[in-house]
Short mmCIF file of all heavy atoms in Angstrom, two decimals:
data_model
loop_
_atom_site.label_atom_id
_atom_site.label_comp_id
_atom_site.label_asym_id
_atom_site.label_seq_id
_atom_site.Cartn_x
_atom_site.Cartn_y
_atom_site.Cartn_z
N TRP A 27 -31.60 31.92 3.59
CA TRP A 27 -32.79 31.52 4.22
C TRP A 27 -32.65 31.69 5.71
O TRP A 27 -33.58 32.25 6.33
CB TRP A 27 -32.94 30.03 3.85
CG TRP A 27 -33.99 29.33 4.66
CD1 TRP A 27 -35.38 29.42 4.44
CD2 TRP A 27 -33.84 28.54 5.80
NE1 TRP A 27 -36.06 28.66 5.39
CE2 TRP A 27 -35.10 28.16 6.27
CE3 TRP A 27 -32.76 28.13 6.50
CZ2 TRP A 27 -35.34 27.33 7.36
CZ3 TRP A 27 -32.91 27.30 7.67
CH2 TRP A 27 -34.21 26.90 8.06
N THR A 52 -20.10 38.86 -31.04
CA THR A 52 -20.46 37.55 -30.47
C THR A 52 -21.95 37.30 -30.80
O THR A 52 -22.69 38.22 -30.91
CB THR A 52 -20.27 37.67 -28.96
OG1 THR A 52 -18.86 37.85 -28.73
CG2 THR A 52 -20.62 36.36 -28.19
N SER A 83 -17.70 19.31 8.48
CA SER A 83 -16.38 18.84 8.97
C SER A 83 -16.49 18.12 10.33
O SER A 83 -15.59 17.40 10.71
CB SER A 83 -15.38 19.96 9.02
OG SER A 83 -15.91 21.01 9.87
N GLN A 95 -36.78 21.77 3.67
CA GLN A 95 -38.18 21.97 3.40
C GLN A 95 -38.49 23.24 2.53
O GLN A 95 -39.31 23.15 1.61
CB GLN A 95 -38.94 22.12 4.77
CG GLN A 95 -40.52 22.13 4.63
CD GLN A 95 -41.05 20.83 3.92
OE1 GLN A 95 -40.44 19.84 4.01
NE2 GLN A 95 -42.19 21.04 3.22
N LEU A 97 -36.54 24.17 0.22
CA LEU A 97 -36.16 23.77 -1.18
C LEU A 97 -37.28 22.92 -1.71
O LEU A 97 -37.62 23.05 -2.93
CB LEU A 97 -34.86 22.96 -1.15
CG LEU A 97 -33.61 23.75 -0.81
CD1 LEU A 97 -32.38 22.83 -0.99
CD2 LEU A 97 -33.39 25.02 -1.71
N GLU A 111 -31.89 34.66 -28.92
CA GLU A 111 -30.83 33.89 -29.52
C GLU A 111 -30.61 34.37 -30.94
O GLU A 111 -31.55 34.71 -31.67
CB GLU A 111 -31.18 32.39 -29.58
CG GLU A 111 -31.26 31.76 -28.21
CD GLU A 111 -31.36 30.27 -28.22
OE1 GLU A 111 -30.28 29.64 -28.26
OE2 GLU A 111 -32.48 29.73 -28.19
N VAL A 115 -24.09 40.39 -30.20
CA VAL A 115 -23.93 41.07 -28.84
C VAL A 115 -22.44 41.41 -28.58
O VAL A 115 -21.55 40.92 -29.39
CB VAL A 115 -24.43 40.23 -27.68
CG1 VAL A 115 -25.93 40.11 -27.75
CG2 VAL A 115 -23.82 38.79 -27.69
N PRO A 137 -25.97 27.02 -13.63
CA PRO A 137 -26.52 26.40 -14.89
C PRO A 137 -26.77 27.41 -15.97
O PRO A 137 -26.52 27.10 -17.19
CB PRO A 137 -27.82 25.70 -14.44
CG PRO A 137 -28.15 26.36 -13.17
CD PRO A 137 -26.84 26.78 -12.46
N ASP A 176 -23.15 15.62 -24.35
CA ASP A 176 -23.95 16.79 -24.49
C ASP A 176 -23.09 17.93 -25.07
O ASP A 176 -23.60 18.86 -25.69
CB ASP A 176 -24.51 17.28 -23.17
CG ASP A 176 -25.32 18.59 -23.40
OD1 ASP A 176 -26.31 18.47 -24.12
OD2 ASP A 176 -24.95 19.57 -22.89
N GLU A 223 -14.08 -1.05 -55.85
CA GLU A 223 -15.17 -1.97 -55.40
C GLU A 223 -15.89 -1.24 -54.31
O GLU A 223 -17.16 -1.32 -54.23
CB GLU A 223 -14.43 -3.18 -54.86
CG GLU A 223 -15.19 -4.43 -55.05
CD GLU A 223 -14.37 -5.59 -54.27
OE1 GLU A 223 -13.10 -5.64 -54.50
OE2 GLU A 223 -14.93 -6.29 -53.44
N HIS A 234 -27.99 8.30 -55.57
CA HIS A 234 -28.10 9.74 -55.71
C HIS A 234 -27.54 10.49 -54.50
O HIS A 234 -27.61 11.72 -54.43
CB HIS A 234 -29.61 10.13 -55.84
CG HIS A 234 -30.27 9.51 -56.95
ND1 HIS A 234 -30.17 9.93 -58.27
CD2 HIS A 234 -31.10 8.40 -57.08
CE1 HIS A 234 -30.79 9.18 -59.09
NE2 HIS A 234 -31.41 8.26 -58.37
N VAL A 255 -16.29 5.15 -61.37
CA VAL A 255 -17.51 4.59 -60.81
C VAL A 255 -18.69 5.55 -61.06
O VAL A 255 -19.80 5.12 -61.32
CB VAL A 255 -17.27 4.35 -59.26
CG1 VAL A 255 -18.66 3.98 -58.55
CG2 VAL A 255 -16.30 3.26 -59.01
N ALA A 261 -24.61 5.97 -65.91
CA ALA A 261 -25.24 5.09 -66.96
C ALA A 261 -26.39 4.36 -66.41
O ALA A 261 -27.30 3.93 -67.18
CB ALA A 261 -24.11 4.10 -67.43
N ASP A 288 -14.17 17.92 -63.81
CA ASP A 288 -14.72 18.71 -64.92
C ASP A 288 -14.46 18.11 -66.27
O ASP A 288 -15.34 18.03 -67.10
CB ASP A 288 -14.20 20.14 -64.84
CG ASP A 288 -14.70 20.91 -63.67
OD1 ASP A 288 -15.60 20.36 -62.90
OD2 ASP A 288 -14.33 22.07 -63.46
N ILE A 318 -12.76 23.88 -53.16
CA ILE A 318 -13.66 23.18 -52.24
C ILE A 318 -15.00 23.95 -52.10
O ILE A 318 -15.00 25.17 -52.02
CB ILE A 318 -12.94 23.08 -50.87
CG1 ILE A 318 -11.78 22.15 -50.92
CG2 ILE A 318 -13.96 22.59 -49.79
CD1 ILE A 318 -10.87 22.19 -49.75
N TYR A 331 -11.87 25.47 -30.35
CA TYR A 331 -10.51 25.02 -29.99
C TYR A 331 -9.59 26.14 -29.52
O TYR A 331 -8.86 25.99 -28.57
CB TYR A 331 -9.94 24.28 -31.19
CG TYR A 331 -8.79 23.34 -30.82
CD1 TYR A 331 -9.06 21.99 -30.54
CD2 TYR A 331 -7.50 23.79 -30.90
CE1 TYR A 331 -8.05 21.19 -30.22
CE2 TYR A 331 -6.43 22.90 -30.54
CZ TYR A 331 -6.71 21.63 -30.22
OH TYR A 331 -5.70 20.74 -29.85
N TYR A 340 -21.85 36.49 -13.95
CA TYR A 340 -23.19 36.61 -13.44
C TYR A 340 -23.07 37.45 -12.13
O TYR A 340 -22.50 36.96 -11.18
CB TYR A 340 -23.79 35.23 -13.23
CG TYR A 340 -25.23 35.08 -12.72
CD1 TYR A 340 -26.21 34.83 -13.66
CD2 TYR A 340 -25.48 35.03 -11.36
CE1 TYR A 340 -27.49 34.59 -13.28
CE2 TYR A 340 -26.76 34.80 -10.99
CZ TYR A 340 -27.82 34.50 -11.93
OH TYR A 340 -29.11 34.22 -11.55
N GLN A 372 -30.60 47.47 -19.28
CA GLN A 372 -31.20 47.24 -20.55
C GLN A 372 -30.13 47.70 -21.64
O GLN A 372 -29.26 48.53 -21.19
CB GLN A 372 -32.49 48.04 -20.69
CG GLN A 372 -33.19 48.01 -21.98
CD GLN A 372 -33.65 46.60 -22.54
OE1 GLN A 372 -32.73 45.91 -23.06
NE2 GLN A 372 -34.92 46.22 -22.31
N GLN A 395 -33.55 60.01 -22.67
CA GLN A 395 -34.15 60.69 -23.82
C GLN A 395 -33.11 61.24 -24.78
O GLN A 395 -31.93 61.48 -24.39
CB GLN A 395 -35.02 61.93 -23.31
CG GLN A 395 -36.45 61.47 -23.07
CD GLN A 395 -37.14 62.26 -21.94
OE1 GLN A 395 -36.54 63.12 -21.33
NE2 GLN A 395 -38.31 61.86 -21.67
N ASP A 415 -32.15 61.57 -34.65
CA ASP A 415 -32.35 61.06 -35.99
C ASP A 415 -31.97 59.54 -35.98
O ASP A 415 -32.15 58.92 -37.01
CB ASP A 415 -31.43 61.77 -37.00
CG ASP A 415 -29.95 61.57 -36.67
OD1 ASP A 415 -29.62 61.38 -35.50
OD2 ASP A 415 -29.11 61.65 -37.57
N VAL A 425 -39.02 37.41 -20.74
CA VAL A 425 -39.03 36.03 -20.97
C VAL A 425 -39.92 35.31 -19.91
O VAL A 425 -40.74 34.48 -20.24
CB VAL A 425 -37.64 35.40 -20.98
CG1 VAL A 425 -37.63 33.84 -21.11
CG2 VAL A 425 -36.79 35.99 -22.09
N ILE A 441 -34.09 31.18 -35.72
CA ILE A 441 -32.89 31.76 -35.01
C ILE A 441 -31.76 31.79 -35.88
O ILE A 441 -31.00 32.81 -35.87
CB ILE A 441 -32.64 30.85 -33.75
CG1 ILE A 441 -33.82 30.84 -32.74
CG2 ILE A 441 -31.33 31.40 -33.04
CD1 ILE A 441 -33.65 29.90 -31.57
N PHE A 459 -11.14 38.94 -39.14
CA PHE A 459 -10.55 38.12 -38.11
C PHE A 459 -9.32 38.84 -37.38
O PHE A 459 -9.08 38.62 -36.26
CB PHE A 459 -10.08 36.74 -38.66
CG PHE A 459 -11.23 35.95 -39.23
CD1 PHE A 459 -11.10 35.21 -40.36
CD2 PHE A 459 -12.54 36.03 -38.67
CE1 PHE A 459 -12.16 34.49 -40.98
CE2 PHE A 459 -13.60 35.39 -39.24
CZ PHE A 459 -13.39 34.57 -40.39
N GLU A 475 -22.03 57.84 -14.16
CA GLU A 475 -21.77 58.67 -12.96
C GLU A 475 -22.07 57.89 -11.71
O GLU A 475 -21.28 57.94 -10.73
CB GLU A 475 -22.64 59.95 -12.95
CG GLU A 475 -22.22 60.98 -14.06
CD GLU A 475 -20.71 61.28 -14.03
OE1 GLU A 475 -20.19 61.48 -12.98
OE2 GLU A 475 -20.16 61.41 -15.19
#
Side-chain angles (χ1 to χ4, degrees):
Chain A
W27 170 80
T52 297
S83 60
Q95 187 57 29
L97 292 185
E111 295 191 84
V115 291
D176 181 63
E223 212 187 310
H234 300 284
V255 172
D288 289 356
I318 292 168
Y331 202 89
Y340 181 96
Q372 175 59 279
Q395 270 148 1
D415 63 334
V425 177
I441 298 172
F459 302 143
E475 290 307 321

